[in-house]
Amino acid sequence: MACARGAGRAVAAATVAQPGKRPPEPEPELEEPSLLDAPAPSRRLGSDPGLSDSDSEESVFSGLEDSGSDSTEDATASEEEGEGTSEQRGRMDRSPGQQPMAALCHEALPWVLAQPPKGVSPPHSFRRHVVMTLRQPPAPPPSGPALGWQPRAPVMLATAMALARTPCSRMEVASMPGEDEYAEDSSDEEDIRNTVGNVPLEWYDDFPHVGYDLDGRRIYKPLRTRDELDQFLDKMDDPDYWRTVRDRMTGHSVRLTGEQVALVQRLQRGQFGDVSFNPYEPAVDFFSGDLMIHPVTNRPADKRSFIPSLVEKEKVSRMVHAIKMGWIQPRRPRDHSPSFYDLWAQEDPNAVLGRHKMHVPAPKLALPGHSESYNPPPEYLPSEEECLAWEQQEPEERKLSFLPRRFLSLRAVPAYGRFIQERFERCLDLYLCPRQRKMRVNVDPEDLIPKLPRPRDLQPFPTCQALVYRGHNSLVRCLSVSPDGQWLASGSDDGSVRLWEVATARCMRTVPVGGVVKSVAWNPHPTVCLVAVAVEDTVLLLNPALGDRLVVGSTDQLLSAFTPPLDPASQPAHWLEASQEERQDGLRLRIHHGKPVTQVTWHGRGDYLAAVLATPGHTQVLIHQLSRRRSQSPFRRSHGQVQRVAFHPTRPFLLVASQRCVRLYHLLRQELTKKLMPNCKWVSSLAVHPAGDNIICGSYDSKLVWFDMDLSTKPYRVLRHHKKALRAVAFHPRYPLFASGSDDGSVIVCHGMVYNDLLQNPLLVPVKVLKGHALTRDLGVLDVAFHPTQPWVFSSGADGTLRLFT
């Protein structure tokens, strides 16, 4: 045992110090079961100089055996120092040096077991050992002697017995189970004071200790094996959990007393920590309010108060010198009356207004004329009709601001009712008139208007209505002209497609399709006689059987020559052959899409056609190949709701118009080439110039936008000629003409000349406004198209008619 070894070494040291004395006979060792659990005592209790400081430090346990401390190493070192035979240790225990230790124990034990008187303390060495012993965790109650068990008395008793090694009658007397004699201890070393100073405690996060005490020993962290569940149970079960805090300097949990809790609550409320402090104590006035006979201080005046100051004399002399030199001017009395000056007066150049080089004189009032006389001549007096017309005019349009009247004499003239108003307007004119003359270039307003050619110089273009095609029972949404210009196809909401002869306005054939026709497109190739019709979710391919029979027969042979593949691939659309009954009406093929079709348009070579579907997603645009009967979706993702599509006339480009922009895609490279921003709220229509470098867009906010794709992605010109939404735009394939149809019932034809010289901008001149359609349900012209060879324009309206303007 460490305690026994420490006592043995102390006795051995005492024996060495007194070589002349014979050691007593060996006595049997006392059986002390409670010493196994008691901590090792300090070796500084004796006053023997043979004990070193290292021995005393090694004998003190840390109290945290399981937390990685040095207790094992200290115990091993103690065993090495105290190694020897049991016989020698027995002799050392029985050496005469044990007597001073026993006497010291008997002397200090009453101080430990009883409350010492105030102002008197036990021996210092023994008190230090008791303090270090109390820092250890309490040992379990002893089972041997019948001692009264109290929190700290057994530990002190076991320590004293380990040091004394001799039975003492005072121990038995002092350990009576009456009352707790150690409830209050005034020792100032009981506090484990952390002396790390200003060192951050975060430095000790990876160490088992949290600092050092006053003796330089480590303060080990307590074992914290409690998880959040245990803390929650403590919070629910322990009524004092709310007042328990953790001391960062020692790592222990401290329970706040009632005074400390009250102190914290006062500080949280912004009050003073001391309860007895009154911040609002009544102020004691030093001086009383009563008039006294004697002054507070009656000290005689100083001698310097009767002698002029030299410093003030120097200041006065400097100020006098400054006044003589003119550096200090006397203060002049201020004139608080407001100063006015004539803003328009002819003043000399040295005046305030003379600084303006280009001074403007005051505009003078016009002198009164004969009409302002109280007795004007008869020719200046207005008649009743002129008076009525003057009252109906706007104040800005009247030549005179008053009506001339006649009075018999000057005394009969009443007060002028607008005198104050006119004076106020005159003051406003003077106040708001510019105070400096600015050089203005004399420009003729006619010179600001661009020099446009006269419309008669831009002929030919359609000027009058020639024919009206009647036959549809509902509004005509779309129309298309054959490549040779002899036939005209139109689709209506009455569920039919009509084929007309252009020259005679005769309806050659009516094909019922059983739904609203959204779009009609004639194949542009001259050797193919086909018409594509968009009805609901289907695109119908009709052979109208009009014109040359060889062309009609070759078209049927072309369609019948198709052989379906053995392994058909999956397509976004289904191709179906027409039945015999449908073939008699001219129907040849059906292309089912599953979604409503809003537009259909042909490529210039006549083998491909594009369809626009009214559906969200990337399948809004589908391209069909007629010869192979194959359909494909060219886009992988959507960029908004597609309104119109058009093929480029000469290059492999596809133009897709969404609500706010127009995108130009390269079909071979499969990439986006250009993005045009029309700055419109909603694009409604799209047309491409035959040369391919310019396009026009119509919008529902009554704008027509011209794009020069070689110039910029922004509009080259924005035309606002229409008053309502634009429904359709079209280019003439041969003449420099383009037209637009609007809901205001008019078709505006414009001259659009595109030059071969790239440095010269296009010439845009509106030449004619064509009217003829009647407004029906707030709808006017729904579609326009030019004749392929003649300067004629076709229009379809909501009134159920088609009109030809030539």
Side-chain angles (χ1 to χ4, degrees):
M1 296 188 304
C3 299
R5 296 190 193 101
R9 283 197 295 268
V11 174
T15 306
V16 174
Q18 300 175 3
K21 294 185 179 183
R22 183 177 59 85
E25 293 299 328
E27 296 179 2
E29 296 183 358
L30 297 177
E31 183 177 359
E32 298 171 1
S34 63
L35 295 178
L36 296 175
D37 299 328
S42 174
R43 293 194 183 102
R44 294 186 182 182
L45 297 178
S47 59
D48 192 357
L51 296 177
S52 62
D53 294 339
S54 61
D55 295 337
S56 62
E57 291 178 1
E58 292 176 355
S59 65
V60 179
F61 287 173
S62 63
L64 190 65
E65 289 83 7
D66 298 335
S67 62
S69 62
D70 302 330
S71 59
T72 307
E73 299 177 1
D74 297 341
T76 306
S78 301
E79 291 178 2
E80 292 178 358
E81 293 178 3
E83 61 183 355
T85 61
S86 60
E87 183 179 358
Q88 294 175 353
R89 287 195 298 269
R91 294 196 206 102
M92 293 174 64
D93 293 340
R94 301 181 187 92
S95 62
Q98 185 181 6
Q99 299 302 328
M101 299 295 294
L104 179 62
C105 177
H106 291 306
E107 179 184 357
L109 186 59
W111 296 89
V112 178
L113 301 180
Q115 181 68 27
K118 185 175 182 180
V120 183
S121 59
H124 177 73
S125 59
F126 190 84
R127 184 178 61 182
R128 178 182 296 276
H129 170 69
V130 173
V131 170
M132 298 306 298
T133 304
L134 291 179
R135 293 180 181 176
Q136 308 301 330
S143 59
L147 299 178
W149 179 250
Q150 295 178 0
R152 290 184 290 177
V155 180
M156 298 179 181
L157 183 60
T159 306
M161 292 175 65
L163 291 176
R165 287 291 182 183
T166 55
C168 181
S169 59
R170 296 185 184 182
M171 294 183 182
E172 299 177 359
V173 173
S175 60
M176 295 180 65
E179 56 179 345
D180 190 358
E181 300 178 355
Y182 316 108
E184 295 181 2
D185 195 350
S186 62
S187 176
D188 56 350
E189 297 189 9
E190 297 251 354
D191 182 20
I192 304 178
R193 192 175 304 279
N194 197 337
T195 61
V196 294
N198 295 330
V199 176
L201 293 180
E202 290 78 6
W203 291 5
Y204 294 94
D205 289 344
D206 299 333
F207 294 94
H209 60 285
V210 75
Y212 301 90
D213 58 3
L214 296 176
D215 295 332
R217 298 182 182 88
R218 298 176 179 177
I219 299 177
Y220 286 93
K221 302 176 183 177
L223 286 177
R224 293 190 176 275
T225 59
R226 307 175 64 83
D227 53 3
E228 295 183 0
L229 181 59
D230 296 334
Q231 296 178 4
F232 177 74
L233 294 177
D234 290 346
K235 183 177 181 181
M236 295 293 104
D237 300 338
D238 189 3
D240 295 334
Y241 181 82
W242 62 274
R243 63 167 63 196
T244 304
V245 296
R246 179 176 175 268
D247 188 3
R248 294 186 60 201
M249 299 295 293
T250 60
H252 293 274
S253 297
V254 180
R255 179 183 175 273
L256 300 180
T257 61
E259 294 80 1
Q260 294 173 344
V261 172
L263 174 61
V264 173
Q265 293 176 353
R266 286 196 302 272
L267 295 179
Q268 287 179 347
R269 291 194 300 266
Q271 301 177 359
F272 288 90
D274 190 1
V275 184
S276 60
F277 180 76
N278 183 16
Y280 307 105
E281 294 182 355
V284 179
D285 192 5
F286 178 75
F287 298 98
S288 63
D290 301 334
L291 182 63
M292 309 298 291
I293 302 176
H294 302 284
V296 178
T297 59
N298 198 9
R299 188 172 59 88
D302 297 331
K303 182 180 179 180
R304 63 175 177 267
S305 61
F306 301 98
I307 301 175
S309 175
L310 298 179
V311 178
E312 293 180 357
K313 179 181 178 182
E314 186 178 356
K315 289 183 179 180
V316 171
S317 62
R318 284 200 300 265
M319 295 174 64
V320 170
H321 178 68
I323 292 175
K324 290 181 179 179
M325 298 298 295
W327 300 338
I328 298 178
Q329 297 291 338
R331 294 182 180 179
R332 297 178 180 177
R334 294 183 179 180
D335 186 10
H336 297 284
S337 60
S339 59
F340 302 99
Y341 58 91
D342 190 0
L343 183 64
W344 306 99
Q346 295 292 337
E347 300 176 356
D348 56 345
N350 298 328
V352 178
L353 295 180
R355 300 172 186 174
H356 299 285
K357 296 181 181 180
M358 305 296 292
H359 186 64
V360 181
K364 297 181 180 180
L365 289 176
L367 296 177
H370 295 288
S371 59
E372 295 179 345
S373 174
Y374 73 96
N375 188 13
E379 60 268 17
Y380 289 96
L381 294 177
S383 61
E384 295 182 0
E385 293 80 4
E386 292 177 351
C387 293
L388 184 59
W390 182 87
E391 293 177 356
Q392 293 178 355
Q393 288 180 348
E394 295 293 333
E396 295 82 6
E397 299 178 356
R398 297 170 181 172
K399 294 182 180 181
L400 296 176
S401 60
F402 62 95
L403 285 176
R405 295 174 60 187
R406 171 178 290 182
F407 299 95
L408 297 177
S409 62
L410 189 59
R411 294 179 299 175
V413 177
Y416 185 44
R418 299 186 69 253
F419 175 77
I420 297 179
Q421 183 176 359
E422 288 187 357
R423 290 295 94 187
F424 179 71
E425 292 177 357
R426 170 66 176 171
C427 293
L428 286 182
D429 292 341
L430 294 177
Y431 168 65
L432 299 177
C433 182
R435 302 184 182 182
Q436 185 175 359
R437 190 192 308 271
K438 292 187 178 181
M439 298 302 296
R440 176 183 296 178
V441 181
N442 295 326
V443 179
D444 188 6
E446 298 294 335
D447 297 339
L448 299 178
I449 301 177
K451 299 299 182 181
L452 297 178
R454 294 180 299 178
R456 67 176 63 182
D457 298 336
L458 302 177
Q459 290 179 348
F461 54 84
T463 57
C464 61
Q465 177 178 315
L467 292 176
V468 178
Y469 303 82
R470 302 182 186 275
H472 286 289
N473 299 327
S474 183
L475 54 90
V476 184
R477 290 184 178 272
C478 50
L479 59 91
S480 180
V481 189
S482 62
D484 55 359
Q486 186 178 0
W487 315 105
L488 177 66
S490 63
S492 174
D493 281 6
D494 57 4
S496 64
V497 175
R498 290 179 178 267
L499 303 172
W500 313 81
E501 187 178 8
V502 173
T504 61
R506 177 186 174 188
C507 182
M508 303 300 296
R509 176 175 294 184
T510 302
V511 181
V513 294
V516 175
V517 180
K518 293 295 185 64
S519 179
V520 173
W522 207 295
N523 194 308
H525 201 277
T527 61
V528 179
C529 184
L530 277 180
V531 177
V533 181
V535 181
E536 294 179 353
D537 61 343
T538 308
V539 174
L540 307 178
L541 297 180
L542 304 177
N543 188 350
L546 298 176
D548 192 354
R549 294 184 179 181
L550 295 178
V551 175
V552 175
S554 63
T555 301
D556 291 339
Q557 290 180 1
L558 177 64
L559 297 177
S560 61
F562 171 75
T563 56
L566 298 179
D567 189 10
S570 61
Q571 302 183 53
H574 301 284
W575 296 68
L576 301 176
E577 291 282 351
S579 61
Q580 292 295 332
E581 298 178 356
E582 295 175 341
R583 293 182 68 88
Q584 294 179 1
D585 294 335
L587 182 61
R588 296 295 182 264
L589 290 175
R590 289 177 177 269
I591 307 176
H592 287 279
H593 298 82
K595 299 293 181 180
V597 182
T598 59
Q599 185 205 2
V600 60
T601 181
W602 288 93
H603 188 266
R605 297 185 180 180
D607 191 23
Y608 292 91
L609 73 155
V612 178
L613 308 182
T615 176
H618 66 281
T619 59
Q620 297 183 66
V621 180
L622 297 180
I623 297 179
H624 309 289
Q625 187 177 6
L626 183 61
S627 60
R628 301 176 61 180
R629 297 188 185 180
R630 186 179 62 179
S631 303
Q632 58 181 339
S633 177
F635 304 114
R636 294 183 179 179
R637 58 180 181 177
S638 174
H639 293 283
Q641 187 67 31
V642 178
Q643 303 297 316
R644 292 286 170 175
V645 297
F647 286 100
H648 196 278
T650 57
R651 303 183 65 183
F653 288 155
L654 178 66
L655 290 92
V656 179
S658 60
Q659 293 182 3
R660 302 299 295 270
C661 63
V662 178
R663 289 179 170 84
L664 183 65
Y665 294 95
H666 198 292
L667 294 177
L668 296 181
R669 299 177 185 174
Q670 298 181 1
E671 63 182 8
L672 177 63
T673 303
K674 195 170 295 185
K675 181 179 178 181
L676 308 177
M677 302 301 297
N679 295 332
C680 298
K681 292 183 179 179
W682 198 308
V683 176
S684 61
S685 53
L686 175 69
V688 188
H689 192 269
D693 294 334
N694 298 269
I695 66 172
I696 55 176
C697 297
S699 65
Y700 289 115
D701 51 353
S702 66
K703 294 180 183 178
L704 189 144
V705 183
W706 179 290
F707 281 100
D708 189 348
M709 291 189 292
D710 293 336
L711 184 63
S712 172
T713 58
K714 301 296 179 64
Y716 165 67
R717 189 71 60 81
V718 178
L719 305 179
R720 296 179 176 87
H721 298 148
H722 289 283
K723 298 180 180 180
K724 292 187 178 181
L726 273 73
R727 295 287 178 176
V729 292
F731 270 111
H732 198 286
R734 294 188 180 183
Y735 292 95
L737 298 174
F738 65 94
S740 59
S742 173
D743 281 343
D744 56 5
S746 63
V747 177
I748 296 181
V749 181
C750 299
H751 176 85
M753 187 63 180
V754 178
Y755 300 96
N756 294 328
D757 186 7
L758 298 179
L759 298 178
Q760 191 170 2
N761 293 329
L763 176 64
L764 308 181
V765 181
V767 293
K768 192 64 178 178
V769 178
L770 304 175
K771 295 184 178 180
H773 289 278
L775 297 182
T776 304
R777 290 181 289 181
D778 291 336
L779 297 176
V781 180
L782 300 180
D783 198 3
V784 293
F786 277 101
H787 194 276
T789 58
Q790 300 294 331
W792 302 344
V793 63
F794 299 90
S795 65
S796 63
D799 55 356
T801 61
L802 291 90
R803 298 176 187 269
L804 170 62
F805 299 92
T806 61

